[in-house]
Amino acid sequence: MMWVHLGYPPAQAPTGGYLPPQRRRPGGRAGRGGKAVIAIMRAPPGLVRLLAAPGWGRPLRRCLGAMARYGTEQRGRPNSPDYRLYFKNADGKYISPFHDIPLFAASKEEKEIPAKRSKTTGTEVLFNMIVEVPRWTNAKMEIATEEPLNPIKQDTKKGKLRYVANIFPHKGYIWNYGALPQTWEDPSHRDNFTGCCGDNDPIDVCEIGSKIRSSGEIVQVKVLGVLALVDEGETDWKIIAIGVDDPDAQKIHGIDDVRKHKPGYLEATLDWFQLYKIPDGKPENHFAFNGEFKDKDFAVEIIKSTHEYWKALIHKKADGGDIKCTNVLVSGSPFCCSEEDARSIVQSAPVPVTGDSLPPEVDSWYFFPK
């Protein structure tokens, strides 16, 4: 049996480490049927508080690396419903991460207009990824699509903050999780592959590199493949990607390379998405293509199609419902606003304050029958 280290910092690794699904679930996934949790165990003391705390105590920070031209500004109280993380560009203008950050990573970005050219590494097209959730954390952070300038916020349900459960052996999110800007899974479009309509969000990304990223970080990634999740009757594509600055990026170029260099990771990803809603009393999720990961060429075509849906949305050629398309940089968009208007949106949000502590149940681990 070959083992891989999936990136736990040594002092933070959960007891027992990572068990590949094939070791812990002989006979596959049959027999669970979405039944209730049979056991809960406390994770190591302080582990989740250390990892799941957003780390957003600073009002303003600059993202490191190739995308240092973007910064974030905290408003409100971390670990509370009023927390927001707004975005700025290198000129200090408040922008929408959903609409103003280019989908394609440009070799040299234009100052005012989202990039039209894509940056390539050999034959690989690079994309910008917005990190919403750092790996190993639990808070369900997401781009607020229904708020002006679309800051990152923590999702809520019935007034309570949402956290993903720790389903053994997984700890929180098992990748850096986020979205591709300038994409939209159109809820009025029925996908030919899944037979379901889009989920009304930007397309999701699972970044599988060895680095633990920060919420709000903009990472240039190369796409490796895609998984077609059908979530409560909606198409919810999950792009598999790796940051180009990651030490493993030079040897991982597609799904087969992930299997070779990170054995068990794709199986764990399938397992995670199938089970993660069961602690909330919901059934297992399902997948198109019988859970097969499609290759990077297929994935890029899916991304391009969602980019076209976004173009229709931002130019008011598609009905976005409650989605807010307020932007600062998209030329020709009827939703474009002034710098002053963008600044007033941010300044109307609560002032940044020290964060609340996490609820103790975030530390719990869930177990399911085989």
Side-chain angles (χ1 to χ4, degrees):
M1 172 62 66
M2 183 177 182
W3 290 75
V4 294
H5 174 59
L6 293 186
Y8 280 110
Q12 299 171 9
T15 303
Y18 175 83
L19 285 176
Q22 60 267 33
R23 277 289 295 271
R24 61 188 171 84
R25 298 180 196 269
R29 298 181 177 83
R32 287 194 301 262
K35 291 183 179 179
V37 173
I38 61 167
I40 298 177
M41 183 178 77
R42 302 286 293 184
L47 169 64
V48 180
R49 289 189 176 86
L50 178 61
L51 295 180
W56 300 311
R58 293 159 291 177
L60 177 67
R61 89 171 164 266
R62 293 288 178 185
C63 299
L64 301 178
M67 302 306 291
R69 51 188 164 271
Y70 295 106
T72 56
E73 182 173 320
Q74 172 191 311
R75 305 292 292 192
R77 184 189 305 273
N79 305 317
S80 78
D82 70 1
Y83 176 81
R84 298 292 184 273
L85 194 65
Y86 287 92
F87 286 71
K88 282 183 174 182
N89 65 8
D91 296 325
K93 295 179 181 178
Y94 291 107
I95 60 170
S96 161
F98 186 3
H99 305 301
D100 289 319
I101 294 176
L103 168 61
F104 297 99
S107 54
K108 186 176 182 180
E109 280 194 32
E110 300 164 358
K111 281 189 174 289
E112 298 296 330
I113 302 174
K116 297 177 181 178
R117 295 176 301 162
S118 61
K119 182 177 180 181
T120 61
T121 312
T123 59
E124 295 171 320
V125 179
L126 303 186
F127 298 89
N128 287 324
M129 171 193 176
I130 304 162
V131 178
E132 296 167 310
V133 187
R135 190 172 71 236
W136 309 140
T137 64
N138 298 72
K140 193 176 186 303
M141 310 303 297
E142 61 182 19
I143 293 171
T145 59
E146 297 181 3
E147 295 183 14
L149 293 184
N150 316 113
I152 288 178
K153 68 169 186 177
Q154 187 168 355
D155 190 25
T156 60
K157 185 175 183 180
K158 296 180 179 178
K160 293 185 64 177
L161 294 171
R162 294 185 65 189
Y163 298 89
V164 298
N166 303 307
I167 300 178
F168 187 82
H170 308 309
K171 168 65 190 75
Y173 287 78
I174 62 174
W175 345 257
N176 296 298
Y177 192 70
L180 295 181
Q182 298 188 342
T183 62
W184 180 50
E185 296 194 59
D186 186 349
S188 68
H189 170 75
R190 186 174 298 277
D191 186 86
N192 292 332
F193 298 108
T194 67
C196 299
C197 295
D199 70 349
N200 205 31
D201 284 323
I203 198 166
D204 296 323
V205 186
C206 303
E207 195 279 319
I208 65 167
S210 57
K211 298 181 178 182
I212 296 179
R213 307 288 183 167
S214 301
S215 188
E217 188 174 350
I218 309 301
V219 182
Q220 291 183 352
V221 299
K222 59 181 181 180
V223 167
L224 308 173
V226 65
L227 177 66
L229 175 67
V230 177
D231 188 350
E232 298 184 34
E234 296 178 332
T235 301
D236 193 2
W237 295 103
K238 305 298 181 183
I239 300 294
I240 308 300
I242 189 168
V244 294
D245 61 345
D246 193 88
D248 292 330
Q250 296 303 311
K251 60 185 180 183
I252 297 180
H253 306 283
I255 283 294
D256 289 339
D257 290 332
V258 179
R259 293 190 178 97
K260 177 181 178 181
H261 297 289
K262 295 178 181 283
Y265 210 168
L266 294 179
E267 292 83 355
T269 295
L270 198 69
D271 197 57
W272 196 97
F273 280 119
Q274 185 173 20
L275 299 178
Y276 81 103
K277 288 192 173 182
I278 292 180
D280 295 329
K282 296 182 178 180
E284 292 182 357
N285 279 323
H286 300 283
F287 308 92
F289 309 112
N290 293 318
E292 173 192 356
F293 287 83
K294 307 301 285 186
D295 64 22
K296 66 179 179 182
D297 291 337
F298 186 99
V300 168
E301 290 305 311
I302 294 297
I303 293 169
K304 288 180 179 178
S305 69
T306 61
H307 184 49
E308 293 303 313
Y309 298 138
W310 170 83
K311 287 181 182 178
L313 173 71
I314 200 68
H315 291 289
K316 211 172 183 178
K317 295 179 180 179
D319 182 8
D322 293 330
I323 287 183
K324 291 294 187 293
C325 295
T326 309
N327 68 85
V328 179
L329 302 177
V330 183
S331 178
S333 170
F335 304 103
C336 197
C337 74
S338 67
E339 293 179 47
E340 292 74 18
D341 288 340
R343 187 180 301 110
S344 68
I345 290 170
V346 177
Q347 291 177 347
S348 67
V351 297
V353 292
T354 304
D356 293 334
S357 60
L358 290 169
E361 58 266 25
V362 176
D363 288 347
S364 298
W365 243 326
Y366 292 76
F367 293 81
F368 293 92
K370 296 178 181 179

